[in-house]
Amino acid sequence: MIDWLRALRAKLPFGGEQVGPGTKLDLRLLVGANDPVTGLPGPNAFENTLEQAVRQADVKSRRLALLLVNIDDFKSINGTFGSLKGDEVLRQAAKRMRPLVQPFMAARLAADEFALLMNEDPQPEDAAVLATKVLREMRLPIGVGRGQSVTLACSVGVVMYPDCGAVESMIPRARVAMANAKAAGGARYAFFDASMTKGPPDQIELLRELRLAVELNQLELHYQPKIHAPTGEITGAEALLRWNHPTRGMVSPASFIPLAERSGLIIPIGRWVIEDASRQLRIWRDQGIRMRIAINLSVHQLRQPDLADRIASALRTHQINPELLTCEVTETSAMVDVDATVRVLQKLHAMGIQLSIDDFGTGHSSLAYLRSLPADELKIDRSFVLDLETNEDARKVARAVVNLAKALDRKVVAEGVETEGQNRILREFGCDQLQGYLFAKPMSAKALALWATDNVGPRTMNFRASIFKDTSTIGETAPLDGGAAKGPLVL
């Protein structure tokens, strides 16, 4: 490495400055041979630069962040438009990534894989911000000629040095994290976690324990309140899956949900979520709390022909009004098989269940498809909320999403609200509901009930009066098959 740096020194504008561990190098200059398509440094140049950056980080006791960006389903772009248009898409993607990472380094490692290096002692939060910006920039349309354009979804793997181990481990472990992001549905980022690299025996054991967790009720639903934007009152909550392992502790959803999806275990877990959310609605109802719950449906559940019947059965068993349940479907999941998704959502809508398109703006839906989905609300992805206070383009995009939703007669929910500034801007734009750490973190059902009834501590915000209305029978609902009703549902 040192010989390579000495040979390169004469080509770089460092004058006679010695190149070594104590030198502050401009990483953009250590490029070596550039990639002919994008003009970015290639894999060899990037690995050399990474090694030097690690040496400097060790000397100065600083951190590094490495992000690997992979374009989801890039093969379909080449297959549809040809390799020449595919190369143009790669050039435009590189052009967008380069300014995001300056004055650090961007490189192309493989056909549809890019690397971004942050070397000024970044924290994980800084890497998360960069990853979110990359995902957002890639979603902007890229022209491919003759009035045609494509939008890109990316999976991003993130590693922090020295947390991830030796320099030789950084790229492989970033690829592992990227693969986990892709397995979770893509269009997202994931930080490397040690559990991701455990060998097949541990994965088999973790899967066995996950199966057992469903049987032993080790899975939990935590609830994050949703806020009525005009009044600031709590109107309901989103149910979020958690795994409280008896020896591992709380296992991250980023670790076990991709495993469940790969193994098919996501189907019984999804059924458990439906049942447990319905059970919790009944418990709250018996406590005098008429809380609305939102649950997330995976793409695998949408492919199950009996999904609507299972949800109807759970609501009947616990005698719950379907209007108290919201089913959230990500835009990406909805677009996997549009016709099948529409059929399922139409059944749920006919039952009176509220429907929400989650992560709106991160997928590939067209207005024609969006109009065909019987959704009651659109949920703005958190990536659009992140830069509202500092970026005019982010504000324009968020406002456009709100205006589009209003034009389609949908309500608008914004998630990931963390600052008062974001809260103010979204209220001004006309969002109907807000959700995020600014208001409340996810909490257990018991904690939320205590908060609602004001039995512990000062109440920081009010619940809507409708949550405490007396429950009453609203009559019978027709079953999906058009036969006789199977019992009353109550508020």
Side-chain angles (χ1 to χ4, degrees), residues 349-362:
H349 194 265
M351 292 165 50
I353 292 172
Q354 301 292 298
L355 300 174
S356 176
I357 304 301
D358 196 7
D359 296 345
F360 181 71
T362 64

Side-chain angles (χ1 to χ4, degrees), residues 100-119:
L100 293 179
V101 77
Q102 287 179 346
F104 313 120
M105 185 182 190
R108 184 187 179 198
L109 301 190
D112 55 356
E113 182 181 271
F114 298 85
L116 306 178
L117 179 63
M118 305 176 70
N119 76 319

Side-chain angles (χ1 to χ4, degrees), residues 280-455:
Q280 186 58 55
L281 280 169
R282 176 59 184 264
I283 292 174
W284 279 336
R285 194 203 79 193
D286 292 344
Q287 295 174 343
I289 304 172
R290 187 177 177 271
M291 185 77 72
R292 181 191 296 267
I293 289 180
I295 63 173
N296 294 277
L297 299 180
S298 73
V299 63
H300 304 278
Q301 288 175 280
L302 292 174
R303 295 171 181 167
Q304 298 297 305
D306 64 344
L307 173 64
D309 297 292
R310 285 187 175 276
I311 294 177
S313 176
L315 294 175
R316 290 191 184 103
T317 297
H318 298 284
Q319 295 186 304
I320 297 299
N321 187 333
E323 293 183 356
L324 293 182
L325 182 67
T326 298
C327 289
E328 296 189 1
V329 179
T330 66
E331 184 182 6
T332 302
S333 297
M335 293 301 108
V336 171
D337 187 341
V338 176
D339 293 337
T341 300
V342 169
R343 287 194 296 271
V344 171
L345 296 186
Q346 284 176 339
K347 284 186 176 182
L348 295 175
H349 194 265
M351 292 165 50
I353 292 172
Q354 301 292 298
L355 300 174
S356 176
I357 304 301
D358 196 7
D359 296 345
F360 181 71
T362 64
H364 308 278
S365 64
S366 68
L367 287 178
Y369 284 139
L370 185 60
R371 289 178 58 197
S372 69
L373 296 174
D376 301 282
E377 67 180 30
L378 303 181
K379 196 169 185 183
I380 302 176
D381 185 66
R382 66 182 67 247
S383 63
F384 291 105
V385 176
L386 177 67
D387 294 334
L388 283 178
E389 296 175 273
T390 58
N391 189 294
E392 178 63 24
D393 288 339
R395 289 191 289 273
K396 289 179 180 179
V397 170
R399 186 190 294 274
V401 171
V402 173
N403 290 339
L404 173 61
K406 297 295 185 181
L408 294 172
D409 198 27
R410 267 73 162 177
K411 293 181 179 178
V412 189
V413 180
E415 63 178 348
V417 182
E418 297 183 357
T419 70
E420 285 292 351
Q422 295 167 354
N423 179 27
R424 175 183 53 79
I425 293 170
L426 291 167
R427 290 173 188 266
E428 291 174 354
F429 286 175
C431 282
D432 298 288
Q433 292 188 0
L434 306 171
Q435 182 181 344
Y437 280 12
L438 175 65
F439 310 106
K441 295 182 179 180
M443 64 188 77
S444 68
K446 182 178 179 180
L448 186 57
L450 288 172
W451 192 17
T453 54
D454 205 17
N455 289 334

Side-chain angles (χ1 to χ4, degrees), residues 147-386:
Q148 294 178 307
S149 64
V150 297
T151 57
L152 304 181
C154 297
S155 298
V156 183
V158 186
V159 295
M160 303 297 300
Y161 180 84
D163 309 32
C164 66
V167 60
E168 294 82 5
S169 301
M170 291 183 69
I171 292 178
R173 291 186 171 183
R175 285 201 174 106
V176 169
M178 182 177 66
N180 272 262
K182 194 175 292 289
R188 67 193 67 202
Y189 66 86
F191 277 81
F192 171 78
D193 182 88
S195 64
M196 296 178 182
T197 60
K198 293 181 179 179
D202 186 77
Q203 289 293 296
I204 294 173
E205 178 63 17
L206 189 62
L207 179 58
R208 185 193 69 80
E209 293 174 353
L210 185 56
R211 294 184 189 278
L212 193 62
V214 177
E215 299 174 8
L216 299 182
N217 203 31
Q218 291 175 354
L219 297 177
E220 302 175 4
L221 289 179
H222 284 198
Y223 299 88
Q224 185 172 39
K226 291 185 175 182
I227 309 302
H228 184 235
T231 64
E233 296 172 329
I234 295 174
T235 59
E238 179 181 1
L240 300 170
L241 188 62
R242 298 292 185 264
W243 181 12
N244 189 6
H245 193 282
T247 58
R248 299 175 189 256
M250 295 299 292
V251 182
S252 168
S255 297
F256 74 84
I257 288 181
L259 181 62
E261 291 178 332
R262 290 194 299 269
S263 66
L265 192 57
I266 194 66
I267 298 301
I269 289 177
R271 293 170 183 167
W272 176 86
V273 169
I274 293 168
E275 177 65 28
D276 199 64
S278 300
R279 179 190 62 82
Q280 186 58 55
L281 280 169
R282 176 59 184 264
I283 292 174
W284 279 336
R285 194 203 79 193
D286 292 344
Q287 295 174 343
I289 304 172
R290 187 177 177 271
M291 185 77 72
R292 181 191 296 267
I293 289 180
I295 63 173
N296 294 277
L297 299 180
S298 73
V299 63
H300 304 278
Q301 288 175 280
L302 292 174
R303 295 171 181 167
Q304 298 297 305
D306 64 344
L307 173 64
D309 297 292
R310 285 187 175 276
I311 294 177
S313 176
L315 294 175
R316 290 191 184 103
T317 297
H318 298 284
Q319 295 186 304
I320 297 299
N321 187 333
E323 293 183 356
L324 293 182
L325 182 67
T326 298
C327 289
E328 296 189 1
V329 179
T330 66
E331 184 182 6
T332 302
S333 297
M335 293 301 108
V336 171
D337 187 341
V338 176
D339 293 337
T341 300
V342 169
R343 287 194 296 271
V344 171
L345 296 186
Q346 284 176 339
K347 284 186 176 182
L348 295 175
H349 194 265
M351 292 165 50
I353 292 172
Q354 301 292 298
L355 300 174
S356 176
I357 304 301
D358 196 7
D359 296 345
F360 181 71
T362 64
H364 308 278
S365 64
S366 68
L367 287 178
Y369 284 139
L370 185 60
R371 289 178 58 197
S372 69
L373 296 174
D376 301 282
E377 67 180 30
L378 303 181
K379 196 169 185 183
I380 302 176
D381 185 66
R382 66 182 67 247
S383 63
F384 291 105
V385 176
L386 177 67

